[in-house]
Coordinates of all heavy atoms in Angstrom, one line a residue:
M1407 N -40.7 -27.2 5.8 CA -41.5 -26.2 6.5 C -42.1 -25.2 5.6 O -41.5 -24.8 4.6 CB -40.6 -25.5 7.5 CG -41.3 -25.1 8.8 SD -40.7 -23.7 9.6 CE -39.2 -24.3 10.3
A1408 N -43.3 -24.6 5.9 CA -44.0 -23.6 5.1 C -43.2 -22.3 5.1 O -42.6 -22.0 6.2 CB -45.4 -23.4 5.6
E1409 N -43.2 -21.6 4.0 CA -42.5 -20.3 4.0 C -43.2 -19.2 4.7 O -44.2 -18.6 4.2 CB -42.2 -19.9 2.5 CG -41.2 -20.8 1.8 CD -39.8 -20.7 2.4 OE1 -39.4 -19.6 2.8 OE2 -39.1 -21.7 2.4
T1410 N -42.9 -19.0 5.9 CA -43.6 -17.9 6.7 C -42.9 -16.6 6.7 O -43.4 -15.6 7.1 CB -43.7 -18.4 8.2 OG1 -42.4 -18.6 8.7 CG2 -44.5 -19.7 8.3
G1411 N -41.6 -16.6 6.2 CA -40.8 -15.4 6.2 C -40.2 -15.1 7.6 O -39.3 -14.2 7.7
T1412 N -40.5 -15.9 8.6 CA -39.9 -15.7 9.9 C -38.6 -16.5 10.0 O -38.6 -17.6 9.5 CB -40.8 -16.0 11.1 OG1 -41.3 -17.3 10.8 CG2 -42.0 -15.1 11.1
K1413 N -37.6 -16.0 10.7 CA -36.4 -16.7 10.8 C -36.4 -17.4 12.2 O -36.9 -16.9 13.2 CB -35.2 -15.7 10.8 CG -34.9 -15.3 9.4 CD -33.6 -14.4 9.4 CE -33.4 -13.9 8.0 NZ -32.5 -12.8 8.0
P1414 N -35.8 -18.6 12.3 CA -35.7 -19.2 13.6 C -34.8 -18.4 14.5 O -33.8 -17.9 14.1 CB -35.0 -20.6 13.3 CG -34.4 -20.4 11.9 CD -35.1 -19.3 11.2
R1415 N -35.2 -18.3 15.8 CA -34.5 -17.4 16.7 C -33.3 -18.2 17.3 O -32.4 -17.6 17.8 CB -35.4 -16.9 17.8 CG -36.2 -15.7 17.4 CD -37.3 -15.3 18.4 NE -38.3 -16.4 18.4 CZ -39.2 -16.5 19.3 NH1 -39.3 -15.6 20.3 NH2 -40.1 -17.4 19.2
I1416 N -33.5 -19.5 17.3 CA -32.4 -20.3 17.9 C -31.6 -21.0 16.8 O -32.2 -21.7 16.0 CB -33.0 -21.4 18.9 CG1 -33.8 -20.6 20.0 CG2 -31.8 -22.2 19.5 CD1 -34.7 -21.6 20.8
K1417 N -30.3 -20.7 16.8 CA -29.5 -21.4 15.8 C -29.2 -22.8 16.2 O -28.8 -23.1 17.4 CB -28.2 -20.7 15.7 CG -28.1 -19.7 14.5 CD -26.7 -19.3 14.3 CE -26.6 -18.1 13.3 NZ -25.2 -17.6 13.2
S1418 N -29.5 -23.8 15.3 CA -29.2 -25.2 15.7 C -27.6 -25.4 15.5 O -27.1 -25.0 14.5 CB -30.0 -26.2 14.9 OG -29.7 -26.0 13.5
V1419 N -27.1 -26.1 16.5 CA -25.6 -26.4 16.5 C -25.4 -27.8 15.9 O -26.0 -28.7 16.6 CB -25.0 -26.2 17.9 CG1 -23.5 -26.5 17.8 CG2 -25.3 -24.9 18.4
P1420 N -24.7 -28.0 14.8 CA -24.6 -29.4 14.3 C -23.6 -30.2 15.1 O -22.5 -30.4 14.7 CB -24.1 -29.1 12.9 CG -23.4 -27.8 12.9 CD -24.0 -27.0 14.0
K1421 N -24.0 -30.6 16.3 CA -23.1 -31.3 17.2 C -22.6 -32.6 16.6 O -21.5 -33.0 16.8 CB -23.8 -31.6 18.5 CG -23.8 -30.5 19.5 CD -24.3 -30.9 20.9 CE -24.3 -29.7 21.8 NZ -25.2 -29.9 22.9
T1422 N -23.4 -33.3 15.9 CA -23.1 -34.6 15.4 C -21.9 -34.5 14.4 O -21.1 -35.4 14.3 CB -24.2 -35.3 14.7 OG1 -24.8 -34.4 13.8 CG2 -25.2 -35.8 15.7
A1423 N -21.8 -33.4 13.7 CA -20.7 -33.2 12.7 C -19.4 -33.2 13.4 O -18.4 -33.6 12.9 CB -20.9 -31.9 11.9
K1424 N -19.4 -32.6 14.7 CA -18.1 -32.5 15.4 C -17.8 -33.8 16.2 O -16.7 -33.9 16.7 CB -18.2 -31.3 16.4 CG -18.2 -30.0 15.8 CD -18.2 -28.9 16.9 CE -18.7 -27.6 16.3 NZ -19.3 -26.8 17.4
R1425 N -18.8 -34.6 16.4 CA -18.6 -35.8 17.2 C -18.9 -37.1 16.5 O -20.0 -37.6 16.6 CB -19.5 -35.6 18.5 CG -19.3 -34.3 19.2 CD -20.2 -34.2 20.3 NE -19.9 -35.1 21.4 CZ -20.7 -35.4 22.4 NH1 -21.9 -34.9 22.5 NH2 -20.3 -36.2 23.4
P1426 N -18.0 -37.5 15.6 CA -18.2 -38.7 14.8 C -18.4 -39.9 15.8 O -17.7 -39.9 16.8 CB -17.0 -38.8 14.0 CG -16.0 -38.0 14.6 CD -16.7 -36.9 15.4
L1427 N -19.2 -40.8 15.4 CA -19.5 -42.0 16.3 C -18.5 -43.1 16.1 O -17.8 -43.2 15.0 CB -20.9 -42.5 16.0 CG -22.0 -41.5 16.3 CD1 -23.4 -42.0 15.9 CD2 -22.1 -41.2 17.8
H1428 N -18.3 -43.8 17.1 CA -17.4 -45.0 17.1 C -18.1 -46.3 17.4 O -19.0 -46.3 18.2 CB -16.3 -44.7 18.2 CG -15.3 -43.7 17.7 ND1 -13.9 -43.9 17.6 CD2 -15.4 -42.4 17.3 CE1 -13.3 -42.9 17.2 NE2 -14.2 -41.9 17.0
K1429 N -17.6 -47.3 16.6 CA -18.2 -48.6 16.8 C -17.5 -49.4 17.9 O -16.3 -49.3 18.0 CB -18.1 -49.4 15.5 CG -18.8 -48.8 14.3 CD -18.5 -49.6 13.1 CE -17.2 -49.2 12.4 NZ -17.1 -49.8 11.1
V1430 N -18.3 -50.1 18.7 CA -17.7 -51.1 19.6 C -17.7 -52.4 18.9 O -18.8 -52.8 18.4 CB -18.4 -51.2 20.9 CG1 -17.9 -52.3 21.8 CG2 -18.3 -49.9 21.7
I1431 N -16.5 -53.1 18.8 CA -16.5 -54.3 18.0 C -16.1 -55.5 18.9 O -15.1 -55.4 19.6 CB -15.4 -54.1 16.8 CG1 -15.9 -53.0 15.9 CG2 -15.2 -55.5 16.1 CD1 -14.9 -52.5 15.0
L1432 N -16.8 -56.5 18.8 CA -16.5 -57.8 19.5 C -15.6 -58.6 18.6 O -15.9 -58.9 17.4 CB -17.8 -58.5 19.8 CG -17.7 -60.0 20.3 CD1 -17.1 -60.0 21.7 CD2 -19.1 -60.6 20.3
V1433 N -14.5 -59.1 19.2 CA -13.5 -59.9 18.4 C -13.6 -61.3 18.8 O -13.7 -61.6 20.0 CB -12.1 -59.3 18.6 CG1 -11.0 -60.1 17.8 CG2 -12.0 -57.8 18.3
N1434 N -13.5 -62.2 17.9 CA -13.6 -63.7 18.2 C -12.3 -64.2 18.8 O -11.2 -63.6 18.6 CB -13.9 -64.5 16.9 CG -14.1 -65.9 17.2 OD1 -14.7 -66.3 18.2 ND2 -13.7 -66.8 16.3
D1435 N -12.4 -65.2 19.6 CA -11.2 -65.9 20.0 C -11.6 -67.4 20.2 O -12.8 -67.7 20.1 CB -10.7 -65.4 21.4 CG -11.6 -65.6 22.5 OD1 -11.8 -66.7 23.0 OD2 -12.2 -64.6 23.0
D1436 N -10.6 -68.3 20.5 CA -11.0 -69.7 20.5 C -11.3 -70.2 21.9 O -11.6 -71.4 22.1 CB -9.8 -70.5 20.0 CG -9.6 -70.3 18.5 OD1 -10.5 -69.9 17.8 OD2 -8.4 -70.5 18.0
F1437 N -11.2 -69.3 22.9 CA -11.3 -69.8 24.3 C -12.5 -69.4 25.1 O -13.0 -70.1 25.9 CB -10.1 -69.4 25.0 CG -8.8 -69.9 24.4 CD1 -8.0 -69.0 23.6 CD2 -8.4 -71.2 24.6 CE1 -6.9 -69.5 23.0 CE2 -7.3 -71.7 23.9 CZ -6.5 -70.8 23.1
T1438 N -13.0 -68.1 24.8 CA -14.1 -67.7 25.6 C -15.4 -68.4 25.3 O -15.8 -68.6 24.1 CB -14.4 -66.2 25.4 OG1 -13.1 -65.5 25.5 CG2 -15.4 -65.6 26.4
P1439 N -16.1 -69.0 26.3 CA -17.3 -69.7 26.0 C -18.4 -68.9 25.4 O -18.6 -67.7 25.8 CB -17.7 -70.2 27.4 CG -16.6 -70.1 28.3 CD -15.8 -69.0 27.8
R1440 N -19.1 -69.4 24.5 CA -20.2 -68.7 23.8 C -21.2 -68.1 24.8 O -21.7 -67.0 24.7 CB -21.0 -69.7 22.9 CG -20.2 -70.1 21.7 CD -21.0 -71.1 20.9 NE -20.3 -71.6 19.8 CZ -20.9 -72.0 18.6 NH1 -22.2 -71.9 18.5 NH2 -20.2 -72.5 17.7
E1441 N -21.6 -68.9 25.8 CA -22.6 -68.5 26.8 C -22.1 -67.3 27.6 O -22.9 -66.4 27.9 CB -22.9 -69.6 27.8 CG -23.4 -70.9 27.2 CD -22.2 -71.7 26.5 OE1 -21.1 -71.7 27.1 OE2 -22.4 -72.2 25.4
F1442 N -20.8 -67.2 27.8 CA -20.2 -66.1 28.6 C -20.3 -64.8 27.7 O -20.7 -63.8 28.2 CB -18.8 -66.4 29.0 CG -18.1 -65.2 29.7 CD1 -18.3 -65.1 31.1 CD2 -17.4 -64.2 29.0 CE1 -17.8 -64.0 31.8 CE2 -16.9 -63.2 29.7 CZ -17.0 -63.0 31.1
V1443 N -20.0 -65.0 26.4 CA -20.1 -63.8 25.5 C -21.5 -63.3 25.5 O -21.7 -62.0 25.6 CB -19.6 -64.2 24.1 CG1 -19.7 -63.0 23.2 CG2 -18.2 -64.7 24.1
V1444 N -22.5 -64.1 25.4 CA -23.9 -63.7 25.3 C -24.3 -63.0 26.6 O -24.9 -62.0 26.6 CB -24.8 -64.9 25.0 CG1 -26.3 -64.6 25.2 CG2 -24.5 -65.5 23.6
R1445 N -23.9 -63.6 27.7 CA -24.2 -63.0 29.0 C -23.6 -61.6 29.2 O -24.2 -60.7 29.7 CB -23.7 -64.0 30.2 CG -24.7 -64.0 31.3 CD -24.3 -65.0 32.4 NE -23.6 -66.2 32.0 CZ -22.5 -66.6 32.5 NH1 -21.9 -65.9 33.5 NH2 -21.9 -67.7 32.1
L1446 N -22.4 -61.5 28.8 CA -21.7 -60.2 28.9 C -22.3 -59.2 28.0 O -22.5 -58.0 28.4 CB -20.2 -60.4 28.5 CG -19.3 -59.2 28.9 CD1 -18.0 -59.7 29.5 CD2 -19.0 -58.4 27.7
L1447 N -22.7 -59.6 26.8 CA -23.3 -58.6 25.9 C -24.7 -58.1 26.4 O -25.0 -56.9 26.4 CB -23.6 -59.3 24.5 CG -22.4 -59.5 23.6 CD1 -22.7 -60.4 22.4 CD2 -21.7 -58.2 23.1
K1448 N -25.4 -59.0 27.1 CA -26.7 -58.7 27.7 C -26.5 -57.7 28.8 O -27.1 -56.7 29.0 CB -27.4 -59.9 28.1 CG -28.0 -60.7 27.0 CD -28.5 -62.1 27.5 CE -29.6 -62.1 28.5 NZ -29.9 -63.4 29.0
A1449 N -25.5 -58.0 29.7 CA -25.3 -57.3 30.9 C -24.6 -55.9 30.6 O -25.0 -54.9 31.2 CB -24.4 -58.1 31.9
E1450 N -23.7 -55.9 29.7 CA -22.9 -54.6 29.5 C -23.5 -53.7 28.4 O -23.3 -52.5 28.5 CB -21.4 -55.0 29.2 CG -20.7 -55.6 30.4 CD -20.5 -54.6 31.5 OE1 -20.0 -53.5 31.3 OE2 -20.9 -54.9 32.6
F1451 N -24.1 -54.3 27.5 CA -24.6 -53.5 26.3 C -26.1 -53.5 26.3 O -26.7 -52.9 25.4 CB -24.0 -54.0 25.0 CG -22.5 -53.8 25.0 CD1 -21.6 -54.8 25.4 CD2 -22.0 -52.6 24.6 CE1 -20.3 -54.6 25.3 CE2 -20.6 -52.4 24.6 CZ -19.8 -53.4 24.9
R1452 N -26.8 -54.2 27.2 CA -28.2 -54.2 27.3 C -28.9 -54.6 26.1 O -30.0 -54.1 25.7 CB -28.7 -52.7 27.7 CG -28.1 -52.2 29.0 CD -29.0 -52.5 30.2 NE -28.2 -52.6 31.4 CZ -28.4 -53.4 32.4 NH1 -29.4 -54.3 32.3 NH2 -27.7 -53.4 33.5
V1453 N -28.3 -55.6 25.4 CA -29.0 -56.1 24.2 C -29.8 -57.4 24.6 O -29.4 -58.1 25.5 CB -28.0 -56.5 23.1 CG1 -27.4 -55.2 22.5 CG2 -27.0 -57.4 23.5
P1454 N -31.0 -57.6 24.0 CA -31.8 -58.7 24.4 C -31.1 -60.0 24.0 O -30.2 -60.0 23.1 CB -33.1 -58.6 23.5 CG -33.0 -57.3 22.9 CD -31.6 -56.7 23.0
E1455 N -31.5 -61.1 24.6 CA -30.9 -62.5 24.4 C -30.7 -62.8 22.9 O -29.6 -63.2 22.5 CB -31.7 -63.5 25.1 CG -31.3 -64.9 24.9 CD -30.4 -65.5 25.9 OE1 -30.5 -65.0 27.1 OE2 -29.6 -66.4 25.6
A1456 N -31.7 -62.7 22.2 CA -31.7 -63.1 20.7 C -30.7 -62.3 20.0 O -29.9 -62.8 19.2 CB -33.1 -63.0 20.1
Q1457 N -30.6 -61.0 20.2 CA -29.6 -60.1 19.5 C -28.2 -60.4 20.0 O -27.3 -60.4 19.2 CB -30.0 -58.7 19.8 CG -29.4 -57.7 18.9 CD -29.7 -56.3 19.3 OE1 -30.7 -56.0 19.9 NE2 -28.8 -55.4 18.9
A1458 N -28.1 -60.7 21.3 CA -26.7 -61.0 21.8 C -26.2 -62.3 21.2 O -25.0 -62.4 20.8 CB -26.8 -61.2 23.3
A1459 N -27.1 -63.3 21.0 CA -26.7 -64.5 20.3 C -26.3 -64.3 18.9 O -25.3 -64.9 18.4 CB -27.9 -65.5 20.4
V1460 N -27.0 -63.4 18.2 CA -26.7 -63.2 16.8 C -25.3 -62.5 16.7 O -24.5 -62.8 15.9 CB -27.8 -62.3 16.1 CG1 -27.3 -61.8 14.7 CG2 -29.1 -63.1 15.9
I1461 N -25.1 -61.5 17.6 CA -23.8 -60.8 17.6 C -22.7 -61.7 17.9 O -21.6 -61.7 17.2 CB -23.8 -59.6 18.6 CG1 -24.8 -58.6 18.2 CG2 -22.4 -59.0 18.8 CD1 -25.2 -57.5 19.3
M1462 N -22.9 -62.6 18.9 CA -21.8 -63.6 19.3 C -21.5 -64.5 18.1 O -20.4 -64.8 17.8 CB -22.3 -64.4 20.5 CG -21.3 -65.4 21.0 SD -21.3 -66.9 20.1 CE -23.0 -67.5 20.6
L1463 N -22.6 -65.0 17.5 CA -22.4 -66.0 16.4 C -21.7 -65.3 15.1 O -20.9 -66.0 14.4 CB -23.7 -66.6 16.0 CG -24.2 -67.8 16.8 CD1 -25.6 -68.3 16.4 CD2 -23.2 -69.0 16.7
T1464 N -22.1 -64.1 14.9 CA -21.5 -63.3 13.8 C -20.0 -63.2 14.0 O -19.1 -63.4 13.1 CB -22.1 -62.0 13.6 OG1 -23.5 -62.2 13.4 CG2 -21.6 -61.2 12.4
A1465 N -19.6 -62.8 15.3 CA -18.2 -62.7 15.6 C -17.5 -64.0 15.5 O -16.4 -64.1 15.0 CB -18.0 -62.1 17.0
H1466 N -18.2 -65.0 16.0 CA -17.6 -66.4 16.0 C -17.3 -66.9 14.5 O -16.3 -67.5 14.3 CB -18.6 -67.3 16.7 CG -18.2 -68.8 16.7 ND1 -17.2 -69.3 17.5 CD2 -18.7 -69.8 16.0 CE1 -17.1 -70.6 17.3 NE2 -18.0 -70.9 16.3
T1467 N -18.2 -66.6 13.6 CA -18.0 -67.1 12.3 C -17.2 -66.2 11.4 O -16.5 -66.6 10.5 CB -19.4 -67.4 11.6 OG1 -20.2 -66.2 11.7 CG2 -20.1 -68.5 12.2
K1468 N -17.4 -64.8 11.6 CA -16.7 -63.9 10.7 C -15.4 -63.3 11.3 O -14.7 -62.6 10.6 CB -17.7 -62.8 10.3 CG -18.9 -63.3 9.5 CD -19.6 -62.2 8.8 CE -20.6 -62.8 7.9 NZ -21.5 -61.8 7.4
G1469 N -15.2 -63.5 12.6 CA -14.0 -63.0 13.2 C -14.3 -61.7 14.1 O -13.5 -61.5 15.0
A1470 N -15.3 -61.0 13.7 CA -15.6 -59.8 14.5 C -17.0 -59.3 14.2 O -17.6 -59.7 13.1 CB -14.6 -58.6 14.2
C1471 N -17.6 -58.6 15.1 CA -19.0 -58.0 14.8 C -19.2 -56.7 15.6 O -18.7 -56.6 16.7 CB -20.0 -59.1 15.3 SG -21.7 -58.6 15.0
V1472 N -19.9 -55.8 14.9 CA -20.2 -54.5 15.6 C -21.3 -54.8 16.6 O -22.3 -55.4 16.3 CB -20.7 -53.5 14.6 CG1 -21.1 -52.2 15.3 CG2 -19.6 -53.2 13.5
V1473 N -21.0 -54.3 17.8 CA -22.0 -54.5 18.9 C -22.9 -53.3 19.0 O -24.2 -53.4 19.1 CB -21.3 -54.6 20.3 CG1 -22.3 -54.8 21.4 CG2 -20.3 -55.8 20.3
A1474 N -22.4 -52.1 19.0 CA -23.2 -50.9 19.1 C -22.3 -49.7 18.7 O -21.1 -49.8 18.5 CB -23.7 -50.7 20.6
V1475 N -22.9 -48.5 18.6 CA -22.3 -47.3 18.2 C -22.5 -46.2 19.3 O -23.6 -46.0 19.7 CB -22.8 -46.9 16.8 CG1 -22.3 -45.5 16.4 CG2 -22.4 -47.9 15.8
F1476 N -21.4 -45.5 19.6 CA -21.5 -44.5 20.7 C -20.6 -43.3 20.3 O -19.8 -43.4 19.3 CB -21.0 -45.0 22.0 CG -21.8 -46.2 22.5 CD1 -21.3 -47.5 22.4 CD2 -23.0 -46.1 23.2 CE1 -21.9 -48.6 22.9 CE2 -23.7 -47.2 23.6 CZ -23.2 -48.4 23.5
T1477 N -20.6 -42.3 21.1 CA -19.5 -41.2 20.9 C -18.2 -41.9 21.3 O -18.2 -43.0 22.0 CB -19.7 -40.0 21.9 OG1 -19.8 -40.5 23.2 CG2 -21.0 -39.3 21.5
K1478 N -17.1 -41.3 20.9 CA -15.7 -41.9 21.0 C -15.5 -42.3 22.5 O -15.1 -43.5 22.8 CB -14.7 -40.9 20.6 CG -13.3 -41.5 20.6 CD -12.3 -40.4 20.0 CE -10.9 -41.0 19.7 NZ -10.2 -41.1 21.0
E1479 N -15.7 -41.4 23.4 CA -15.4 -41.6 24.8 C -16.2 -42.8 25.4 O -15.7 -43.6 26.1 CB -15.6 -40.4 25.7 CG -14.7 -39.2 25.4 CD -14.9 -38.5 24.1 OE1 -16.0 -38.6 23.5 OE2 -14.0 -37.8 23.6
I1480 N -17.5 -42.8 25.1 CA -18.4 -43.8 25.6 C -18.0 -45.2 25.0 O -18.0 -46.2 25.7 CB -19.9 -43.5 25.3 CG1 -20.3 -42.1 25.9 CG2 -20.8 -44.6 25.8 CD1 -20.4 -42.1 27.4
A1481 N -17.8 -45.2 23.7 CA -17.4 -46.4 23.0 C -16.1 -47.0 23.7 O -16.1 -48.2 24.0 CB -17.2 -46.2 21.5
E1482 N -15.1 -46.2 23.9 CA -13.9 -46.7 24.5 C -14.1 -47.2 25.9 O -13.6 -48.2 26.3 CB -12.8 -45.6 24.4 CG -12.3 -45.4 23.0 CD -11.4 -44.2 22.9 OE1 -11.3 -43.4 23.8 OE2 -10.8 -44.0 21.7
E1483 N -14.9 -46.4 26.7 CA -15.2 -46.8 28.0 C -15.9 -48.1 28.1 O -15.5 -49.0 28.9 CB -16.0 -45.7 28.6 CG -16.3 -45.8 30.1 CD -17.2 -44.6 30.6 OE1 -16.8 -43.4 30.4 OE2 -18.2 -44.9 31.1
K1484 N -16.9 -48.3 27.3 CA -17.6 -49.6 27.3 C -16.8 -50.7 26.8 O -16.9 -51.8 27.3 CB -18.9 -49.4 26.4 CG -19.9 -48.5 27.0 CD -21.3 -48.8 26.5 CE -22.3 -47.9 27.2 NZ -23.1 -48.6 28.2
A1485 N -16.0 -50.5 25.8 CA -15.1 -51.6 25.2 C -14.1 -52.0 26.3 O -13.9 -53.2 26.5 CB -14.4 -51.1 24.0
N1486 N -13.5 -51.0 27.0 CA -12.5 -51.3 28.0 C -13.2 -52.1 29.2 O -12.6 -53.1 29.7 CB -11.9 -50.1 28.5 CG -10.9 -49.5 27.5 OD1 -10.5 -50.2 26.6 ND2 -10.6 -48.2 27.6
R1487 N -14.3 -51.6 29.6 CA -15.0 -52.2 30.7 C -15.4 -53.6 30.5 O -15.2 -54.5 31.3 CB -16.2 -51.3 31.0 CG -17.0 -51.6 32.3 CD -18.2 -50.7 32.4 NE -19.3 -51.5 32.9 CZ -19.7 -51.4 34.2 NH1 -19.2 -50.6 35.0 NH2 -20.7 -52.2 34.6
A1488 N -15.9 -53.9 29.3 CA -16.4 -55.2 28.9 C -15.1 -56.1 28.8 O -15.2 -57.3 29.2 CB -17.2 -55.2 27.6
T1489 N -14.1 -55.6 28.2 CA -12.8 -56.4 28.0 C -12.3 -56.8 29.4 O -11.9 -57.9 29.7 CB -11.8 -55.7 27.2 OG1 -12.3 -55.4 25.9 CG2 -10.5 -56.5 27.1
E1490 N -12.2 -55.8 30.3 CA -11.7 -56.0 31.7 C -12.5 -57.0 32.4 O -12.0 -57.8 33.2 CB -11.6 -54.7 32.4 CG -10.3 -53.9 32.1 CD -10.3 -52.5 32.4 OE1 -11.1 -52.1 33.3 OE2 -9.6 -51.7 31.8
L1491 N -13.8 -56.9 32.3 CA -14.7 -57.8 33.0 C -14.4 -59.3 32.6 O -14.4 -60.2 33.4 CB -16.2 -57.4 32.7 CG -17.2 -57.8 33.8 CD1 -18.2 -56.7 33.9 CD2 -17.9 -59.1 33.5
A1492 N -14.3 -59.5 31.2 CA -14.0 -60.8 30.7 C -12.6 -61.3 31.3 O -12.5 -62.4 31.7 CB -14.0 -60.8 29.2
R1493 N -11.6 -60.4 31.2 CA -10.3 -60.7 31.7 C -10.3 -61.1 33.2 O -9.6 -62.0 33.6 CB -9.3 -59.6 31.5 CG -9.1 -59.2 30.0 CD -8.6 -60.3 29.2 NE -8.9 -60.0 27.8 CZ -8.0 -59.5 26.9 NH1 -6.9 -59.0 27.3 NH2 -8.3 -59.3 25.6
S1494 N -11.1 -60.4 34.0 CA -11.2 -60.7 35.4 C -11.8 -62.1 35.7 O -11.6 -62.6 36.7 CB -12.1 -59.6 36.1 OG -13.5 -59.8 35.8
Q1495 N -12.5 -62.6 34.7 CA -13.0 -64.0 34.8 C -12.1 -65.0 34.1 O -12.5 -66.1 34.0 CB -14.4 -64.0 34.1 CG -15.4 -63.0 34.6 CD -15.9 -63.3 36.0 OE1 -16.3 -64.4 36.3 NE2 -15.7 -62.3 36.9
G1496 N -10.9 -64.5 33.6 CA -9.9 -65.4 33.1 C -10.1 -65.7 31.6 O -9.5 -66.6 31.0
F1497 N -10.9 -64.9 30.9 CA -11.1 -65.1 29.4 C -10.4 -64.0 28.6 O -10.3 -62.9 29.0 CB -12.6 -65.1 29.1 CG -13.4 -66.2 29.8 CD1 -14.4 -65.9 30.7 CD2 -13.0 -67.5 29.6 CE1 -15.1 -66.9 31.4 CE2 -13.7 -68.5 30.3 CZ -14.7 -68.2 31.2
P1498 N -9.9 -64.4 27.4 CA -9.1 -63.5 26.6 C -10.0 -62.6 25.7 O -9.5 -62.0 24.7 CB -8.2 -64.4 25.8 CG -9.1 -65.6 25.6 CD -9.9 -65.8 26.8
L1499 N -11.3 -62.5 26.0 CA -12.2 -61.8 25.1 C -11.8 -60.4 24.9 O -11.4 -59.7 25.9 CB -13.6 -61.9 25.8 CG -14.8 -61.4 24.9 CD1 -14.9 -62.3 23.7 CD2 -16.1 -61.4 25.7
L1500 N -12.0 -59.9 23.7 CA -11.5 -58.5 23.4 C -12.6 -57.7 22.7 O -13.3 -58.2 21.7 CB -10.3 -58.6 22.5 CG -9.8 -57.2 21.9 CD1 -9.2 -56.3 23.0 CD2 -8.7 -57.5 20.9
F1501 N -12.8 -56.5 23.2 CA -13.7 -55.5 22.5 C -12.8 -54.4 22.0 O -12.0 -53.9 22.8 CB -14.7 -54.9 23.4 CG -15.8 -55.9 23.8 CD1 -15.6 -56.9 24.8 CD2 -17.0 -55.9 23.1 CE1 -16.6 -57.8 25.2 CE2 -18.0 -56.8 23.5 CZ -17.8 -57.8 24.5
T1502 N -12.9 -53.9 20.8 CA -12.1 -52.8 20.3 C -13.1 -51.7 19.8 O -14.3 -51.9 19.8 CB -11.2 -53.2 19.1 OG1 -12.1 -53.7 18.0 CG2 -10.2 -54.3 19.5
T1503 N -12.5 -50.6 19.4 CA -13.4 -49.5 18.9 C -12.8 -49.0 17.6 O -11.6 -49.1 17.4 CB -13.5 -48.3 19.9 OG1 -12.3 -47.7 20.0 CG2 -14.1 -48.7 21.2
E1504 N -13.6 -48.5 16.7 CA -13.1 -47.8 15.5 C -14.1 -46.8 15.1 O -15.3 -46.9 15.3 CB -12.7 -48.8 14.4 CG -13.8 -49.5 13.8 CD -13.3 -50.4 12.6 OE1 -12.5 -51.2 12.8 OE2 -13.9 -50.2 11.5
P1505 N -13.6 -45.7 14.5 CA -14.6 -44.6 14.0 C -15.5 -45.2 12.9 O -15.1 -46.0 12.1 CB -13.7 -43.5 13.5 CG -12.3 -44.0 13.5 CD -12.2 -45.3 14.2
E1506 N -16.7 -44.7 12.9 CA -17.7 -45.1 11.9 C -17.3 -44.3 10.6 O -17.1 -43.1 10.7 CB -19.1 -44.7 12.4 CG -20.1 -45.7 11.9 CD -21.5 -45.3 12.4 OE1 -21.7 -44.1 12.6 OE2 -22.3 -46.1 12.6
E1507 N -17.3 -44.9 9.5 CA -17.0 -44.2 8.2 C -18.1 -43.1 8.0 O -19.2 -43.3 8.2 CB -17.0 -45.1 7.0 CG -16.4 -46.5 7.1 CD -17.2 -47.5 7.9 OE1 -18.4 -47.7 7.5 OE2 -16.7 -48.0 8.8
Ligands
TYC1800 N1 -15.2 -68.8 19.5 C1 -15.7 -69.0 20.8 C2 -15.9 -70.5 21.1 O1 -16.0 -71.2 20.1 C3 -16.9 -68.2 21.2 C4 -16.7 -66.7 20.9 C5 -17.6 -66.1 20.1 C6 -15.7 -66.1 21.5 C7 -17.5 -64.7 19.8 C8 -15.5 -64.7 21.2 O2 -16.2 -62.7 20.2 C9 -16.4 -64.0 20.4 N2 -16.0 -70.9 22.3

């Protein structure tokens, strides 16, 4: 910004410093069908088909994959909701959360 000599009247509050983000992580298993994982990612995390397929395949081959990043409460809520939805359909699919470094 140009040096005008005027001070900002509104102090900015560094909210992000107090609210570290948390990752929602998709964990692989041997039972949940690939198509179900993709459908759930699309429905619960609003990711497009192609991205959902990449996330699913990454978890499938590497063991886990980051789906998205949110504040702690939202990440936990979304991970629990998605896990419960899968369990309600009889699949052992698991979403976990962890703080972003
Ligand atoms: N491994 C599963 C299968 O072969 C598919 C799958 C992918 C399951 C990713 C979970 O997080 C997962 N049917």
